[in-house]
Amino acid sequence: MTTAVGRRSGADAASARRPVPVRVTWLVVAVLALALVAAASVAFGVRAVTWSDVVAGVTGSSDTLAEAAVLKRVPRTVLAMLVGVALGLAGAVMQGVTRNPLADPGILGVTTGASLAVVTGFAFFGLAAPTTVIWVAIAGAAASAVLVYAIGSLGRGGATPLKLALAGAATSAAFSSLISAVLLPRVDALTDFRFWQIGGVGGAAFPRIAQVLPFLVVGAAICVLTARGLNSLALGDDVAAGLGEHVTRTRVLAALGAILLCGAATAVAGPIGFVGLAVPHLCRLLVGVDHRWLLPFSAVVGAVLLTAADVLGRLVARPAEVDVGIVTAILGAPIFIWIVRRQKVRAL
């Protein structure tokens, strides 16, 4: 009978035989796609603009309403790309750390934990400083991740993919109820947080981006540096230890990077789901399972997906717009069903 390690070893071998030029080609295609959706994000929106308006707005002019609209779209586009990078990269790392094809910041309750921490901080402690909000969101994400892993590790067999997914779903539901309990008696807070809870990048501004950027850079760097260790973990803890990998250290560092990314992204854009779930699966089909390629590719494709979803949300409901969190949920639900049917909740 073929063992899980054998299946993974075979997958790794197939990935290793995948020609490097093919991977480079797909990475170039992803970067070009990102450039195209970034240009579309600046050019298209609720207000129709001309090419001259786009050029003037990008260069900083706001003399007309159209130019001002374009100027406002620039930081929104940058934030959408950064949040997409964070969620795509965090999803790939979480799936690698847990060897769970259903691992995702939303499904595992990490973003909901960050949301609960932020909402509680605003409601009870009057948090106002943006940097403090980011730290609080990261702390909430970390606490939620530890809780889900602890619950999923109970019982025989330890933290299996199914138990982690169920623990994450239950934790996310409980935290969502607590968020509602905190907000419902506070009408003013409910109004302020209603749109933030959906998830969106409409309130982007460069000072806000500058405050969250260091957290995203550090989180991304930690994740990328653990790529080789994640390849070893994919073979199983015993095999990884036999290869000289410090399993616990690698898992903790990778999880720390993912938590930094999730917490910072949630603090600045609200809880946005399904990006971290769908993107790594698509990237594995294109570049294989080697995390040295998978992680940067997931970052770029995550930016493409979230920026494209934001553009789509602005176009489908003119003159209003649909928040990107709703668009990603609509796109991600069928992908989630496909993953469940295809993977049958097996380990990666």
Side-chain angles (χ1 to χ4, degrees), residues 3 88 126 139 148 172 200 243 284:
T3 64
V148 169
S172 182
L243 293 173
R284 285 189 194 92

Side-chain angles (χ1 to χ4, degrees), residues 73-313:
R73 292 172 192 167
V74 175
R76 177 171 184 162
T77 301
V78 173
L79 182 60
M81 291 191 293
L82 289 175
V83 173
V85 166
L87 295 179
L89 188 54
V93 170
M94 286 184 174
Q95 291 174 13
V97 167
T98 62
R99 294 197 297 275
N100 181 359
L102 300 181
D104 167 80
I107 293 174
L108 293 184
V110 177
T111 54
T112 314
S115 300
L116 176 61
V118 171
V119 169
T120 302
F122 273 109
F124 294 106
F125 303 102
L127 294 182
T131 304
T132 304
V133 172
I134 296 171
W135 278 114
V136 168
I138 291 172
S144 180
V146 171
L147 177 62
V148 169
Y149 195 83
I151 295 174
S153 299
L154 297 176
R156 183 178 301 175
T160 64
L162 179 59
K163 288 164 64 177
L164 285 173
L166 293 175
T171 302
S172 182
F175 285 173
S176 296
S177 298
L178 289 174
I179 291 172
S180 298
V182 171
L183 292 179
L184 284 177
R186 299 168 175 82
V187 179
D188 53 341
L190 180 61
T191 302
D192 293 337
F193 281 95
R194 181 176 57 184
F195 296 105
W196 180 83
Q197 283 183 273
I198 296 173
V201 293
F206 280 120
R208 191 179 181 191
I209 293 172
Q211 289 163 345
V212 77
L213 186 60
F215 297 91
L216 297 178
V217 170
V218 172
I222 293 173
C223 289
V224 171
L225 289 174
T226 60
R228 188 179 296 274
L230 291 175
N231 285 341
S232 298
L233 291 183
L235 300 172
D237 290 357
D238 293 337
V239 175
L243 293 173
E245 189 68 39
H246 195 299
V247 173
T248 301
R249 181 177 61 196
T250 299
R251 182 168 279 127
V252 169
L253 283 175
L256 174 62
I259 288 169
L260 282 172
L261 292 174
C262 293
T266 302
V268 74
I272 298 175
F274 291 106
V275 175
L277 175 68
V279 166
H281 284 276
L282 172 62
C283 294
R284 285 189 194 92
L285 294 176
L286 299 177
V287 299
V289 297
D290 187 342
H291 286 84
R292 292 171 297 179
W293 287 90
L294 178 63
L295 295 187
F297 198 62
S298 295
V300 176
V301 175
V304 173
L305 175 60
L306 194 66
T307 307
D310 184 45
V311 174
L312 181 62

